[in-house]
Amino acid sequence: MKPKDATAARRGVPPTDISNPKYFHKVVDCQWACPTHTPVPEYIRLIAQGRYGDAFMLNWESNVFPGILGRTCDRPCEPACRRGRLDEKPVAICRLKRVAADYKGDIEGRLPKAPKRKNGKRVALIGAGPASLTVARDLMPLGYRCVLIEKDARAGGLMRSNIPPFRLPETVLDEEVGRIIDMGLETQFGREVTSLKEVLDEGFDAVFIGTGAPRGKDLAVPGREEGAANIHIGIDWLTSVAFGHIDKIGKRVVVIGGGNTAMDCCRTALRLGGKDVRVTVRSPRKDTKASDWEIEDAEAEGVPILDNHAPKEFIVENGKLTGVRFAKMKAEYDNAAKRSLTPTGEEVVIACDDVLMAIGQENAFPWIERDIGISFNEWDMPVVDGETMRSTRENVFFGGDAAWGPENIIWAVAHGHQAAVSINLHCKGKPLDRRPLQGSSLMSQKMGIHEWSYDNEFSADRRVPVPHAEQSKALKNLKVEVELGYDDRLAFQEAERCLNCDVQTVFTRDLCIECDACMDVCPVDCINFTFNGDEQDLRERLRVPAHNAEQDLYVSAALKTGRVMAKDEDLCLHCGLCAERCPTGAWDMQKFTYVEAQASPSCSAYSATYLR
């Protein structure tokens, strides 16, 4: 196929610079989407090989909490998974992470140690959630004295207080949090910080604030004050349940809100005696903020999700809450897909004994003085640099929900890594913008003429369901873990669905004789030999038009005939058939390794050694 005109051919798409680590990193969609850039295909291959300890260590380096995140992560990697473009479900990346944690064996001897001789620098960590714990994990091997200040009696933050034990067993939380504390973290439990100035006056070289978003939003509708005894803020109620202050609830429960906290609330209510538990959401079902799997789990336990219900009034009779009045809503979208909700005029009353409000969380910083050099924006949030995590005071850093509002644990971990890099640079007197570079490599996987060091056979299996505990038992006990996880057999079956997207098809133009054999053998028609043109034109002229503009095209320099090789990375199965068929070796399968830079060389040394 020729371009529309000769000018387009001359202009054309420039040859792809595969020496730029960003190019192949972006092709590994799951790792690219992960905030901590966990090497997903690599640890999945290790699981398939039964090397669970190695798989755990790769996870622990980047995401710090494999066992916790293997149960609770919001899974930004899975929507990005290329397998989801082939059949209805992506690889169960998150649940395979749990396999690595469940089967890891004894890995304690493989962990970095904090040196006995310290470097003379002290860092305060306010709040014992995942962001602060990540900073400690990264800095302690460098000799920093890290002091954790937490108002509760135990570490974990919202992981402990807001994630129910039927999703995250306490034993798993204690193990992974304890692993960091045991490295030598100094703890001050039971200390609530009421003045940041007082902490700064203690002479710390840096202070990291990872206090989360601890305040749940309220509803100012009629009846709120009159029914207050039975109307609860969702995250506060979950905390009270977690610490044993609440162990029962009314038979009829209405949960207001459509996020993951609402799903935790409704499922917890079922286990504390709720018989008729319903979730109401203002928006249409497709706009609900909760993860699909969280909604599926709630509905599997018999909880209906009622969309387009906006709370209008709490009904209180004789001083007692008896129900909630809702206005039915209708969603309308403009050309920019911006949504507006308008009442339909219909109202619905749902009878209830208790209401749990899970309509969002927000930050509260009354303990941070406004005259100590920390600026706040119009939403009363601290002004924080998105790359360095530093506030407008040079020795104070933020991360996790405290910096950016409610997010998932994996984002808090990512913030912790970046804050640790910044604190290390700050304490050494170096500019924060001179950040360490990531590591990357490309290595051929050729073992013979037609043999690779990875299993390139395509598995046609559908996603393997995760076994669950018997529902009749799970709903009777708050501490019975619902998901049982994969055993080694199921883990292997699911791991085989991975397409090995980190093993790249690398093209050498000078070896190509333009026989088009690779194009003929490609099962998804992603390889093309055609004349160049501007990108939009070229994308349309491929054998399968490449409409996903977020995924780059792999384009060679001009070949002897004047054509170029143009490959749509969006379709590629990484099966290696092109390299097996090529008579000259112009195609090769090469594993791309990407290691995100961290503050602690003792952490990144594991990847640098293992992935070499």
Side-chain angles (χ1 to χ4, degrees):
M1 294 184 291
K2 293 186 177 182
K4 294 178 180 178
D5 57 63
T7 302
R10 288 194 303 271
R11 185 168 62 244
V13 176
T16 301
D17 179 12
I18 65 171
S19 67
N20 181 352
K22 183 178 179 180
Y23 178 75
F24 280 135
H25 184 201
K26 192 174 180 181
V27 175
V28 191
D29 299 72
C30 50
Q31 186 179 22
W32 176 262
C34 176
T36 63
H37 304 289
T38 302
V40 174
E42 179 69 17
Y43 83 69
I44 289 179
R45 278 193 299 273
L46 291 171
I47 288 171
Q49 296 166 16
R51 297 169 59 185
Y52 305 112
D54 289 334
F56 177 88
M57 289 302 299
L58 280 183
N59 274 280
W60 184 83
E61 180 192 339
S62 59
N63 61 51
V64 184
F65 304 105
I68 294 170
L69 286 166
R71 292 164 167 83
T72 64
C73 189
D74 207 33
R75 317 179 197 179
C77 54
E78 292 192 16
C81 175
R82 184 175 279 104
R83 185 73 194 217
R85 304 171 201 173
L86 300 178
D87 52 45
E88 84 287 2
K89 295 283 187 178
V91 175
I93 298 170
C94 181
R95 289 342 184 215
L96 287 172
K97 189 194 315 290
R98 172 180 171 172
V99 171
D102 288 352
Y103 286 81
K104 66 184 179 301
D106 183 6
I107 48 83
E108 300 306 318
R110 306 171 68 174
L111 301 174
K113 309 295 183 187
K116 292 182 179 180
R117 184 175 181 178
K118 306 303 180 184
N119 64 10
K121 303 294 184 180
R122 295 170 66 241
V123 178
L125 309 168
I126 302 177
S132 293
L133 292 169
T134 299
V135 174
R137 199 289 303 263
D138 286 3
L139 291 182
M140 285 191 293
L142 296 175
Y144 286 88
R145 283 186 59 196
C146 293
V147 181
L148 185 70
I149 304 172
E150 167 59 44
K151 64 182 178 61
D152 292 328
R154 303 170 75 183
L158 295 182
M159 296 188 297
R160 187 177 298 278
S161 62
N162 277 187
I163 301 179
F166 57 81
R167 288 183 56 213
L168 177 58
E170 191 174 47
T171 53
V172 175
L173 181 62
D174 288 344
E175 176 189 335
E176 300 207 330
V177 169
R179 185 171 288 121
I180 297 172
I181 293 176
D182 292 344
M183 290 175 69
L185 179 60
E186 300 176 35
T187 57
Q188 295 181 9
F189 292 129
R191 177 185 173 185
E192 183 171 2
V193 175
T194 57
S195 166
L196 179 57
K197 187 176 186 301
E198 289 182 3
V199 175
L200 292 168
D201 287 345
E202 294 178 31
F204 290 101
D205 296 282
V207 174
F208 177 79
I209 297 172
T211 50
R215 187 169 66 184
K217 293 182 179 179
D218 207 336
L219 273 175
V221 298
R224 173 65 178 94
E225 293 184 7
E226 294 83 349
N230 296 94
I231 302 172
H232 316 279
I233 302 295
I235 63 168
D236 295 341
W237 183 80
L238 287 171
T239 299
S240 295
V241 173
F243 291 117
H245 304 311
I246 290 177
D247 60 6
K248 61 182 178 180
I249 199 167
K251 301 295 184 185
R252 302 171 301 173
V253 181
V254 170
V255 179
I256 299 175
N260 289 338
T261 299
M263 301 305 123
D264 285 339
C265 283
C266 70
R267 297 179 70 194
T268 299
L270 285 176
R271 288 157 173 80
L272 296 189
K275 300 300 182 184
D276 178 6
V277 180
R278 310 183 191 191
V279 173
T280 62
V281 189
R282 293 177 69 246
S283 59
R285 174 65 175 260
K286 68 183 182 70
D287 295 337
T288 301
K289 292 183 178 180
S291 305
D292 291 341
W293 48 89
E294 300 276 12
I295 295 174
E296 290 170 6
D297 287 344
E299 290 183 325
E301 293 180 352
V303 177
I305 313 294
L306 308 177
D307 60 359
N308 298 313
H309 280 59
K312 187 176 181 180
E313 177 190 8
F314 294 111
I315 301 173
V316 180
E317 298 177 357
N318 299 320
K320 183 178 180 181
L321 178 72
T322 61
V324 185
R325 187 184 310 278
F326 293 91
K328 294 294 292 294
M329 309 299 289
K330 179 182 178 181
E332 296 177 343
Y333 302 85
D334 60 19
N335 293 334
K338 186 176 180 180
R339 188 195 70 192
S340 61
L341 295 174
T342 55
T344 64
E346 180 184 357
E347 294 184 352
V348 175
V349 174
I350 300 178
C352 65
D353 304 305
D354 284 284
V355 170
L356 302 175
M357 291 189 295
I359 57 173
Q361 296 165 226
E362 57 191 4
N363 297 85
F365 295 106
W367 51 276
I368 297 181
E369 293 84 354
R370 297 316 195 250
D371 61 351
I372 58 174
I374 297 177
S375 298
F376 285 77
N377 61 24
E378 61 268 36
W379 300 284
D380 206 30
M381 288 283 286
V383 176
V384 179
D385 183 271
E387 181 180 18
T388 67
M389 303 292 140
R390 182 156 69 177
S391 72
T392 52
R393 179 170 174 140
E394 67 172 7
N395 66 335
V396 176
F397 302 81
F398 286 77
D401 296 355
W404 311 108
E407 271 286 6
N408 192 259
I409 298 169
I410 192 66
W411 281 102
V413 173
H415 298 160
H417 285 316
Q418 294 307 314
V421 169
S422 297
I423 291 170
N424 187 38
L425 292 170
H426 166 76
C427 289
K428 290 181 176 180
K430 296 182 179 180
L432 267 59
D433 59 356
R434 293 188 181 179
R435 309 187 77 73
L437 298 176
Q438 74 284 343
S440 65
S441 66
L442 268 173
M443 182 179 293
S444 177
Q445 299 303 290
K446 186 168 288 187
M447 300 289 288
I449 296 177
H450 297 306
E451 187 177 358
W452 309 106
S453 66
Y454 74 106
D455 182 5
N456 66 316
E457 184 177 356
F458 175 78
S459 169
D461 288 346
R462 298 288 184 171
R463 180 163 165 148
V464 179
V466 179
H468 283 60
E470 185 179 333
Q471 192 172 104
S472 60
K473 295 180 180 179
L475 294 181
K476 291 180 180 178
N477 190 335
L478 192 66
K479 295 187 176 182
V480 171
E481 188 173 13
V482 175
E483 287 195 10
L484 302 179
Y486 292 137
D487 60 19
D488 54 351
R489 179 184 59 83
L490 293 176
F492 176 80
Q493 184 179 344
E494 181 61 24
E496 287 292 278
R497 296 181 66 239
C498 178
L499 297 177
N500 300 292
C501 293
D502 61 338
V503 182
Q504 306 298 339
T505 52
V506 177
F507 181 74
T508 302
R509 180 193 65 161
D510 293 345
L511 295 177
C512 181
I513 59 174
E514 300 186 66
C515 65
D516 293 356
C518 56
M519 194 165 65
D520 293 339
V521 78
C522 179
V524 291
D525 295 335
C526 69
I527 298 174
N528 303 261
F529 287 88
T530 185
F531 289 95
N532 211 335
D534 63 58
E535 183 171 345
Q536 184 175 358
D537 167 60
L538 183 59
R539 284 180 175 274
E540 290 296 330
R541 288 190 289 106
L542 300 185
R543 292 191 291 166
V544 179
H547 292 150
N548 182 7
E550 294 183 2
Q551 192 81 72
D552 295 335
L553 297 179
Y554 184 3
V555 181
S556 74
L559 298 162
K560 291 180 180 179
T561 63
R563 300 184 302 171
V564 295
M565 185 286 301
K567 174 173 171 282
D568 182 6
E569 300 282 18
D570 195 48
L571 294 177
C572 182
L573 300 179
H574 300 252
C575 62
L577 290 177
C578 54
E580 293 175 12
R581 182 69 178 84
C582 180
T584 65
W587 286 104
D588 189 20
M589 304 305 294
Q590 298 185 15
K591 185 171 75 171
F592 172 76
T593 298
Y594 177 92
V595 180
E596 183 78 350
Q598 293 185 16
S600 176
S602 58
C603 292
S604 58
Y606 181 81
S607 280
T609 300
Y610 175 75
L611 296 175
R612 185 175 296 136

